[in-house]
Amino acid sequence: MDKKILGKINSPQDVKKLDAAELKPLCDEIRETLIETLSKSGGHLSSNLGTVELSVALHRVFDSPKDQIVWDVGHQSYTHKILTGRKDKLSTIRTKGGISGFPNPKESEHDAFIAGHSSTSLAASYGLARAKTISGQDGHVVAVIGDGAASGGMFYEGINNIGRSHDRLVVVLNDNKISISKNIGGLAKYLSEIRVRPRYFKIKDRIERFVTNIPFFGRWLRRKIVSSKSMIKHAIYHMTWFEEFGFVYLGPVDGHDVTSLCEVLQRAKSLNKPVFVHVETVKGKGYKYAEDNPGAYHGVTPFDREQGNSVNKTSDGFSEAFGKILTELGKKDDRICAISPAMKYASGLDLFAKEHPRRFLDVGIAEPLAVTCAAGMAKNALVPVVAIYSSFLQRAYDQVLHDAAIDNLHIILAIDRAGIVGNDGETHQGIFDVAFLSTIPNVKIYSPSDINELEMCINKAIYKEDGVVAVRYPKGKPAEIPEKFALNSCEKTLYSSGLGDNKNCIIVTYGREYWACTKAVEMLESENTQADILKLVKLECTPEIIEILMQYKNVVFVEECVQRGSISELFGYELAKSGYKGKYVSRTLGNSFIPHQSIDEALTECMLDSKNVYKLIKEII
Amino acid sequence: MDKKILGKINSPQDVKKLDAAELKPLCDEIRETLIETLSKSGGHLSSNLGTVELSVALHRVFDSPKDQIVWDVGHQSYTHKILTGRKDKLSTIRTKGGISGFPNPKESEHDAFIAGHSSTSLAASYGLARAKTISGQDGHVVAVIGDGAASGGMFYEGINNIGRSHDRLVVVLNDNKISISKNIGGLAKYLSEIRVRPRYFKIKDRIERFVTNIPFFGRWLRRKIVSSKSMIKHAIYHMTWFEEFGFVYLGPVDGHDVTSLCEVLQRAKSLNKPVFVHVETVKGKGYKYAEDNPGAYHGVTPFDREQGNSVNKTSDGFSEAFGKILTELGKKDDRICAISPAMKYASGLDLFAKEHPRRFLDVGIAEPLAVTCAAGMAKNALVPVVAIYSSFLQRAYDQVLHDAAIDNLHIILAIDRAGIVGNDGETHQGIFDVAFLSTIPNVKIYSPSDINELEMCINKAIYKEDGVVAVRYPKGKPAEIPEKFALNSCEKTLYSSGLGDNKNCIIVTYGREYWACTKAVEMLESENTQADILKLVKLECTPEIIEILMQYKNVVFVEECVQRGSISELFGYELAKSGYKGKYVSRTLGNSFIPHQSIDEALTECMLDSKNVYKLIKEII
């Protein structure tokens, strides 16, 4: 395809210069670019194919960066990136040094606000718009949120606050009738009802005409309705919940008709007050395979565009194993339930949902409810397992603390994507869970390093522990490690190198870092250098452990976690209190956010790969 | 008043045994008991006076503990406590060893779920009800939530999930048209609109009759409406948002008419599916002074019931000082804004709101939105200050991390009630903020010990720091400390006892614990024993600080914070890494929740009072 229109677009200003007739061809060219590029590089495909026209219309009508567009979650902002000077970098998306897969203010002034976690756009936009109003700054703010993200509580908090403000804020609901897992809540039902109602623009006219046309009594009835406080008037003038909360509601509008989109957005802009624009889109629009199966093309690895053979497995490695383990346990124990905040497939719970549908709960993107609901189930003698990404569990810190831990309710947190997650980058790193969960009394944390340990930990969490028990595991597959480092406990494993009894150095580690440490020790052993490993599974520092460490001249803690609040900090503290006289060294992720790149690249950059661990030990001893 | 009916009530069963005619007198007796007792002991008055009839009706219709009643926030559960065997303990409420001011499952089987934080009841009830459905347990679940708590996102997450379930769950909205600060959001507007609509029970009849009575065409029009998918039918059969989300909606019903309440709750119970019951109550009902000014009687200290002279100051000490400081700064700098999650008065922000109404934002009980909205305002060059209780900031951990800290946006968190809070107990202790905020990169934490330091810290936070800056201060008034311990820095203060230069012992501390440490040092000095103090204001461990500590034989860290993730853990770690050879001792709150009692009692129990600190030092040196 010759992309002569896209070729002219280097900034949002260029979108405005196009003839109206060029908009549709531009959308076609963008869609072609997305399919072409993502079939090679991978990335979020379905959602971006669904928002091509919307993005073009937004940049046609609004004037970024003066007008600020806030993309909720943000993985649907690729067209926005293409239109705002980043089209040549699209192939670098989500790679080290390339552009981010999410809006990133550090990357472009057109990315008005960071986004990676769901349902934040209304709150952020409210702040942006309030600031414009308070300090007399020009421009509008537009929040673009999907129906999936609208299942989060912050969406409601935004609706509740914004509607009654007088700020120039447009909320665009991108209603594609499908979130990552199928959205089954009241909102989904409500939106589907709105969609079958007659188009808003016509409804008042239609009802009034219908009533007025009733012979003899029509005009009287019309007066009666308009002048009354009746439900009928209410229905005509407050058709949706959003209007009742103070918004002007426009829609639903066809999200693939760029002309209609421009019209409705222009109207929304002209109102200079809170407006809710309801846009209907189709996920995967324009690419047959993705339209037929948008879930499979949500996040893709490279694929053959002709064959459509995306092999985007929804889960593998630890996630898949977790799903199988829990499904099997569920067969023997009907108290076991699984709760997912809209991540059924990615968490490996599709199997559980199929085998135990009554005991599976997809609550939408509502992490706080997921945890508190689990606490309620535990109170009534079930054993709920919340499968959740580490990064998203951050949203339920208080629910773990207040709703579950104070009353010591027995819930299991199956924390997926713990540690570095790779290409999703800084908004998605699972590098805080150990630290923030540690602050909560009664919470136990397990960090298995392979599937065997994972199974032991899940079993122990369910049958041997009480209170809140977290079992956390990294993204992807476990590494193969040599036989001698094999794991067979869910407390801790002590590996002795057997090179003399000089107790020179011991490495303490857990989780994925065990893999790097075993390699480092192998390198050291090949040089006849001793270094033992204490591999923790349960993250705790007992007197027994301190006793072991006190025998060594050097203790090195290697940990894939931010430093503040880490387990290595706990160990340093306990060693200091115990009067340890040897040398204590720790290597963590430090105190910073870590940008997008592959997992291996990130670990190397943070000097947590085997070579760097090896070097660290060499330097010390 | 002779309380002969209340005298017969020792359990919910006894409420069921009463004649219907005895219910109203019972309510009068309970109301009398509440006023009488709370005028002596203090406690939450207005909200409890508003829920007398509701509580009686709930226990008349439902069968606790088989039916589970979940009180949202829970400070309105006094009548529930009276009816469930705790009437004789009411005078002990909120005191050490007495009953809790909130529902507490450890206290009674009738307290179905812990509550202290807002908006959790629907999620917890959903879990309880799901469990009943899944495992075939008998009984209903009832969530009782106020309109204030319904401004929190978890309320919506609950509505979104519950409506479409088939669980036996009744949501009772206690609509008293007022939350702690005035609720100004869309929900408040919406509820007020529902309230002026004709009563639900009558509306279908009334509209159908109205239409049918239209001469000649009425019956035809009625058929037309009922058979159509029109908006008019929609209005008649889906009158509220709650119905559109799948609930049966009943109400509004007069919350002080115990007979009507029993009827509507009986109907709700009989439906065996999700029902939303809208109850209208009056805060402070039955006590003139409280009805006239419910805010002033929200939480009371002892008062003269005849005079109604409650001196419940909405804020004092640090809160009041903070409000004044910020109001003054706001006069000179019009970028400064204040955001409160429904705590305008208690946070001391009433003055700011009065002086700078355009720059004050009460967002309802929506802590996540408060923080993310602040981040949005910061992005557009304002300086937002979120005034928030330490315990409630837990609900916005991810918003601080993801929405503010990653992009290093400059927001100020003014954290009130940091540390032990006293009578509110374990759900409200502000003992985690230092630990969880420390885990987030780019966040700076200041912990002033007096008003002078508070002012310096606020100034520094606004004008000298970037990114997220927390300034945390305890509940109540600062202690008076001797001149020689006076503070004049917002980094750190080193107090040298001047007793020789033997560098035997140094105490490191911050915040309120400085007061206890100064007293302990005075006691030691009176015995000619040396102990210096390093008082931190900014909670950090710099190389300069480590260099100071390395000179001492003993370092003692005294800290009002949970141990895991604490600053003393950080110091232990840094000392271990620096090869400190002396003795390191720390005293924190340990890793446990701390029940209700006075602040002094709690600090003594945790051995953080001056005598215990003194003893600790004596033991060491």
Side-chain angles (χ1 to χ4, degrees):
Chain A
M1 186 190 271
D2 185 16
K3 292 178 192 142
K4 57 185 177 183
I5 303 176
L6 184 54
K8 295 191 277 184
I9 308 293
N10 294 305
S11 81
Q13 291 310 315
D14 297 329
V15 181
K16 293 181 182 54
K17 289 180 197 151
L18 296 179
D19 292 337
E22 291 178 300
L23 294 177
K24 192 176 173 316
L26 171 64
C27 293
D28 294 341
E29 292 177 17
I30 291 170
R31 191 162 268 122
E32 171 62 24
T33 303
L34 288 171
I35 299 170
E36 197 176 271
T37 310
L38 298 186
S39 68
K40 290 173 196 152
S41 67
H44 285 97
L45 183 62
S46 297
S47 50
N48 281 297
L49 290 176
T51 51
V52 173
E53 288 79 7
L54 177 58
S55 308
V56 169
L58 283 168
H59 283 294
R60 176 88 171 173
V61 172
F62 291 96
D63 190 12
S64 174
K66 186 189 76 185
D67 294 328
Q68 296 172 299
I69 304 171
V70 180
W71 296 91
D72 205 290
V73 191
H75 60 235
Q76 78 284 46
S77 60
Y78 291 11
T79 298
H80 161 81
K81 296 206 173 201
I82 289 172
L83 298 175
T84 52
R86 286 168 278 180
K87 66 182 175 188
D88 297 334
K89 294 182 188 155
L90 187 65
S91 62
T92 70
I93 204 157
R94 295 157 53 86
T95 61
K96 189 176 171 87
I99 59 175
S100 164
F102 297 88
N104 186 346
K106 286 177 276 217
E107 189 178 292
S108 166
E109 58 176 356
H110 296 287
D111 291 1
F113 206 82
I114 198 142
H117 289 189
S118 165
S119 320
T120 63
S121 63
L122 271 67
S125 296
Y126 185 44
L128 293 168
R130 278 273 78 205
K132 281 184 186 292
T133 302
I134 288 171
S135 53
Q137 296 160 32
D138 262 2
H140 281 70
V141 181
V142 185
V144 186
I145 183 166
D147 57 318
S151 62
M154 283 187 80
F155 168 72
Y156 166 80
E157 293 177 355
I159 294 288
N160 190 32
N161 277 280
I162 293 165
R164 294 268 282 177
S165 82
H166 301 284
D167 299 330
R168 298 182 301 277
L169 201 167
V170 178
V171 174
V172 176
L173 180 75
N174 171 19
D175 179 7
N176 54 43
K177 308 170 208 77
I178 191 163
S179 53
I180 297 177
S181 294
K182 200 181 166 195
N183 193 340
I184 51 165
L187 178 69
K189 173 177 169 286
Y190 179 55
L191 292 177
S192 78
E193 277 178 13
I194 293 185
R195 287 194 297 264
V196 298
R197 293 179 196 173
R199 289 284 184 261
Y200 177 89
F201 297 120
K202 298 174 190 158
I203 188 146
K204 274 187 257 181
D205 286 356
R206 192 182 289 184
I207 290 182
E208 295 202 357
R209 218 179 312 126
F210 166 76
V211 170
T212 313
N213 284 343
I214 296 169
F216 304 107
F217 292 92
R219 292 168 69 89
W220 168 80
L221 188 58
R222 185 182 173 283
R223 272 203 310 279
K224 191 90 184 166
I225 289 170
V226 173
S227 67
S228 79
K229 291 200 166 188
S230 74
M231 291 306 305
I232 299 172
K233 182 189 177 191
H234 176 83
I236 296 174
Y237 295 98
H238 292 283
M239 199 173 105
T240 67
W241 164 48
F242 311 106
E243 282 160 313
E244 306 202 77
F245 272 54
F247 284 84
V248 174
Y249 172 91
L250 303 180
V253 61
D254 178 355
H256 300 297
D257 176 348
V258 69
T259 311
S260 296
L261 278 173
C262 288
E263 276 169 24
V264 74
L265 291 173
Q266 192 61 54
R267 180 165 168 179
K269 185 179 173 185
S270 70
L271 291 169
N272 288 314
K273 61 200 293 201
V275 182
F276 190 95
V277 179
H278 187 168
V279 176
E280 280 186 86
T281 65
V282 175
K283 266 201 164 181
K285 180 74 179 179
Y287 182 58
K288 188 181 172 305
Y289 297 110
E291 275 190 54
D292 291 348
N293 193 358
Y297 288 83
H298 173 71
V300 294
T301 48
F303 62 96
D304 180 331
R305 61 176 296 185
E306 299 307 324
Q307 304 290 320
N309 57 348
S310 167
V311 286
N312 177 45
K313 284 206 54 168
T314 47
S315 67
D316 67 353
F318 283 98
S319 312
E320 190 185 15
F322 158 73
K324 283 183 186 160
I325 292 163
L326 199 70
T327 305
E328 285 308 306
L329 287 171
K331 287 179 187 167
K332 287 173 277 181
D333 186 343
D334 61 11
R335 299 172 309 148
I336 295 173
C337 300
I339 302 177
S340 166
M343 287 291 181
K344 181 168 83 173
Y345 294 98
S347 295
L349 282 176
D350 41 333
L351 188 61
F352 188 97
K354 201 176 146 203
E355 290 281 333
H356 314 295
R358 271 170 57 86
R359 288 186 271 139
F360 173 73
L361 210 55
D362 183 345
V363 297
I365 308 182
E367 294 86 1
L369 177 128
V371 170
T372 304
C373 175
M377 294 171 95
K379 188 85 194 170
N380 278 354
L382 296 182
V383 181
V385 180
V386 181
I388 192 163
Y389 286 13
S390 168
S391 178
F392 301 148
L393 181 59
Q394 292 161 198
R395 302 165 74 91
Y397 174 73
D398 186 55
Q399 286 71 22
V400 174
L401 191 159
H402 176 275
D403 298 309
I406 291 182
D407 205 19
N408 206 32
L409 295 171
H410 186 39
I411 68 170
I412 319 295
L413 303 171
I415 306 177
D416 202 339
R417 271 71 165 170
I420 299 286
V421 298
N423 301 336
D424 278 336
E426 56 192 354
T427 55
H428 283 63
Q429 306 290 12
I431 59 181
F432 301 98
D433 65 281
V434 165
F436 72 77
L437 286 175
S438 291
T439 64
I440 305 176
N442 302 342
V443 175
K444 298 96 187 170
I445 309 174
Y446 287 83
S447 189
S449 303
D450 68 9
I451 304 297
N452 181 38
E453 265 192 357
L454 174 66
E455 186 164 6
M456 285 192 291
C457 290
I458 300 268
N459 265 287
K460 185 150 182 228
I462 293 176
Y463 296 108
K464 302 286 181 188
E465 291 279 16
D466 63 358
V468 179
V469 192
V471 180
R472 63 188 299 282
Y473 39 90
K475 188 177 178 186
K477 294 192 173 75
E480 302 236 346
I481 51 168
E483 184 70 26
K484 64 180 178 182
F485 296 109
L487 302 167
N488 49 24
S489 162
C490 49
E491 293 274 338
K492 61 182 186 299
T493 298
L494 183 61
Y495 169 80
S496 283
S497 74
L499 291 173
D501 194 26
N502 62 359
K503 305 271 185 193
N504 191 1
C505 180
I506 186 163
I507 306 171
V508 189
T509 191
Y510 62 85
R512 176 162 51 192
E513 273 307 300
Y514 183 58
W515 313 342
C517 292
T518 57
K519 281 195 193 158
V521 164
E522 286 210 310
M523 287 188 250
L524 291 164
E525 286 178 348
S526 72
E527 297 170 9
N528 221 19
T529 303
Q530 173 272 342
D532 296 349
I533 306 179
L534 177 66
K535 181 245 182 302
L536 306 174
V537 189
K538 187 173 187 179
L539 306 188
E540 59 183 357
C541 184
T542 61
E544 183 204 348
I545 288 173
I546 289 294
E547 204 175 305
I548 295 171
L549 301 187
M550 296 290 275
Q551 303 165 28
Y552 287 83
K553 292 194 199 76
N554 298 284
V555 176
V556 181
F557 207 115
V558 176
E559 181 174 19
E560 190 183 340
C561 176
V562 287
Q563 181 225 302
R564 279 299 288 117
S566 66
I567 303 299
S568 55
E569 229 175 67
L570 171 66
F571 272 66
Y573 167 83
E574 293 292 352
L575 287 170
K577 282 177 57 175
S578 305
Y580 177 64
K581 306 292 182 209
K583 190 166 188 178
Y584 182 66
V585 175
S586 94
R587 176 155 292 168
T588 66
L589 294 170
N591 292 312
S592 61
F593 297 103
I594 296 164
H596 56 279
Q597 54 197 309
S598 76
I599 293 171
D600 285 343
E601 285 167 340
L603 290 175
T604 304
E605 188 172 287
C606 299
M607 303 200 289
L608 284 168
D609 61 309
S610 55
K611 277 190 193 145
N612 270 300
V613 173
Y614 161 83
K615 275 190 215 162
L616 176 67
I617 309 290
K618 287 288 278 186
E619 277 164 30
I620 293 164
I621 59 179
Chain B
M1 186 189 269
D2 184 16
K3 293 178 192 147
K4 58 185 181 185
I5 304 175
L6 184 54
K8 295 192 277 184
I9 307 293
N10 294 305
S11 82
Q13 291 312 312
D14 297 327
V15 181
K16 293 181 184 54
K17 289 179 197 152
L18 296 179
D19 291 338
E22 290 178 300
L23 294 178
K24 192 177 173 315
L26 171 64
C27 293
D28 293 341
E29 291 177 17
I30 291 170
R31 191 162 269 120
E32 170 63 23
T33 303
L34 289 171
I35 299 170
E36 196 176 274
T37 310
L38 297 187
S39 67
K40 290 172 196 152
S41 68
H44 285 96
L45 183 63
S46 299
S47 50
N48 282 297
L49 289 176
T51 51
V52 173
E53 286 80 7
L54 178 58
S55 308
V56 169
L58 283 167
H59 282 294
R60 175 90 173 173
V61 172
F62 291 96
D63 190 12
S64 175
K66 185 189 76 185
D67 294 329
Q68 295 171 298
I69 304 171
V70 180
W71 296 90
D72 205 289
V73 191
H75 60 235
Q76 78 284 45
S77 61
Y78 292 11
T79 298
H80 162 81
K81 296 206 173 201
I82 289 172
L83 298 175
T84 52
R86 286 168 278 179
K87 64 181 175 189
D88 297 334
K89 293 183 189 154
L90 187 64
S91 62
T92 70
I93 202 157
R94 294 156 56 85
T95 61
K96 189 175 170 87
I99 61 174
S100 164
F102 297 87
N104 187 346
K106 285 176 276 214
E107 189 178 292
S108 166
E109 60 176 353
H110 296 288
D111 291 0
F113 205 82
I114 198 144
H117 289 190
S118 166
S119 319
T120 62
S121 63
L122 271 66
S125 296
Y126 185 44
L128 293 168
R130 278 275 76 202
K132 281 183 187 293
T133 302
I134 289 170
S135 52
Q137 296 160 33
D138 261 2
H140 281 70
V141 181
V142 184
V144 186
I145 183 166
D147 55 319
S151 62
M154 284 185 81
F155 168 72
Y156 166 80
E157 293 176 356
I159 294 289
N160 190 31
N161 278 281
I162 294 165
R164 295 269 282 179
S165 80
H166 301 284
D167 299 329
R168 298 181 302 279
L169 201 168
V170 178
V171 174
V172 175
L173 180 74
N174 171 19
D175 179 6
N176 53 43
K177 308 168 207 81
I178 191 162
S179 52
I180 297 176
S181 294
K182 199 181 164 194
N183 193 339
I184 51 165
L187 178 69
K189 173 177 169 285
Y190 180 55
L191 293 177
S192 77
E193 277 177 12
I194 293 185
R195 287 194 300 264
V196 300
R197 295 179 195 172
R199 290 283 185 260
Y200 176 88
F201 296 121
K202 297 175 190 157
I203 186 146
K204 275 187 255 180
D205 285 357
R206 190 183 290 184
I207 290 183
E208 295 201 357
R209 218 180 312 126
F210 166 76
V211 170
T212 313
N213 283 343
I214 296 168
F216 305 106
F217 293 91
R219 292 168 69 89
W220 167 81
L221 187 58
R222 185 182 173 283
R223 275 202 312 277
K224 191 89 184 167
I225 289 170
V226 173
S227 66
S228 79
K229 290 200 168 187
S230 74
M231 292 303 307
I232 300 171
K233 182 190 176 190
H234 176 83
I236 297 174
Y237 295 99
H238 292 282
M239 200 173 105
T240 67
W241 164 48
F242 311 106
E243 282 160 312
E244 306 201 78
F245 273 54
F247 284 84
V248 175
Y249 171 92
L250 303 180
V253 62
D254 178 355
H256 300 297
D257 176 350
V258 67
T259 310
S260 297
L261 279 171
C262 288
E263 276 169 24
V264 74
L265 291 173
Q266 192 62 54
R267 182 166 166 177
K269 185 179 172 183
S270 71
L271 292 168
N272 288 316
K273 62 198 296 200
V275 182
F276 190 95
V277 179
H278 186 169
V279 176
E280 279 185 86
T281 65
V282 175
K283 264 201 164 181
K285 179 74 178 179
Y287 182 58
K288 187 182 172 305
Y289 297 109
E291 275 192 52
D292 291 348
N293 193 359
Y297 288 82
H298 174 71
V300 295
T301 49
F303 62 96
D304 180 332
R305 61 176 296 183
E306 298 307 324
Q307 304 290 320
N309 57 349
S310 167
V311 286
N312 177 44
K313 285 207 52 164
T314 47
S315 67
D316 67 354
F318 282 98
S319 311
E320 190 185 14
F322 159 72
K324 283 185 185 159
I325 292 164
L326 199 69
T327 305
E328 285 307 307
L329 287 171
K331 286 179 188 168
K332 287 174 277 183
D333 187 342
D334 61 9
R335 300 172 308 148
I336 295 173
C337 300
I339 302 177
S340 167
M343 287 290 182
K344 183 169 81 173
Y345 294 98
S347 295
L349 282 177
D350 41 334
L351 187 62
F352 188 96
K354 202 175 144 202
E355 290 282 334
H356 313 295
R358 270 170 59 84
R359 287 185 273 138
F360 173 74
L361 211 56
D362 183 345
V363 298
I365 308 183
E367 294 85 1
L369 176 129
V371 169
T372 304
C373 175
M377 294 170 96
K379 187 84 194 171
N380 278 356
L382 296 182
V383 181
V385 180
V386 182
I388 192 164
Y389 287 13
S390 167
S391 177
F392 301 148
L393 181 59
Q394 291 161 198
R395 302 165 73 91
Y397 174 72
D398 187 55
Q399 287 71 23
V400 174
L401 192 158
H402 176 275
D403 299 309
I406 291 181
D407 205 17
N408 206 32
L409 295 172
H410 186 41
I411 68 170
I412 319 295
L413 303 170
I415 307 177
D416 202 339
R417 271 71 166 171
I420 299 287
V421 297
N423 303 337
D424 278 337
E426 59 193 353
T427 55
H428 283 63
Q429 306 289 13
I431 59 181
F432 301 97
D433 65 282
V434 166
F436 72 75
L437 286 175
S438 290
T439 64
I440 306 176
N442 302 342
V443 175
K444 297 96 188 174
I445 309 173
Y446 287 84
S447 189
S449 302
D450 67 10
I451 305 297
N452 180 39
E453 266 191 359
L454 174 66
E455 186 164 5
M456 285 191 292
C457 290
I458 300 268
N459 265 287
K460 185 148 184 230
I462 294 176
Y463 295 108
K464 302 286 181 190
E465 291 280 16
D466 63 356
V468 179
V469 192
V471 180
R472 61 189 299 282
Y473 40 90
K475 187 178 179 187
K477 293 190 173 75
E480 301 237 348
I481 51 168
E483 184 68 26
K484 64 180 179 182
F485 295 110
L487 303 166
N488 49 25
S489 163
C490 50
E491 293 274 340
K492 60 181 185 301
T493 297
L494 184 61
Y495 169 80
S496 282
S497 73
L499 292 172
D501 194 29
N502 62 0
K503 305 272 183 192
N504 191 0
C505 179
I506 186 163
I507 305 170
V508 190
T509 190
Y510 62 85
R512 175 160 53 191
E513 273 307 301
Y514 183 57
W515 314 342
C517 292
T518 57
K519 280 193 194 159
V521 164
E522 286 209 310
M523 287 188 249
L524 292 164
E525 285 177 350
S526 71
E527 298 171 8
N528 222 18
T529 303
Q530 174 272 341
D532 296 349
I533 307 179
L534 178 67
K535 182 243 178 307
L536 307 174
V537 189
K538 187 172 186 179
L539 305 188
E540 59 183 358
C541 184
T542 61
E544 184 204 347
I545 288 173
I546 289 294
E547 202 175 305
I548 294 170
L549 301 187
M550 296 290 275
Q551 303 165 28
Y552 288 83
K553 291 193 199 78
N554 298 284
V555 175
V556 181
F557 207 114
V558 176
E559 180 174 19
E560 190 183 341
C561 175
V562 287
Q563 181 224 301
R564 277 301 287 117
S566 66
I567 303 299
S568 55
E569 230 175 68
L570 171 66
F571 272 64
Y573 167 82
E574 292 293 351
L575 287 170
K577 282 176 57 175
S578 305
Y580 176 65
K581 305 292 181 207
K583 191 167 187 180
Y584 182 67
V585 175
S586 94
R587 176 155 293 167
T588 67
L589 294 170
N591 293 311
S592 62
F593 297 103
I594 296 164
H596 57 279
Q597 55 197 307
S598 76
I599 293 172
D600 286 343
E601 285 168 341
L603 290 175
T604 303
E605 189 171 287
C606 299
M607 303 201 289
L608 283 169
D609 60 308
S610 53
K611 276 190 195 148
N612 270 301
V613 173
Y614 160 83
K615 275 191 214 161
L616 176 67
I617 309 291
K618 287 287 279 183
E619 278 164 30
I620 293 165
I621 59 181

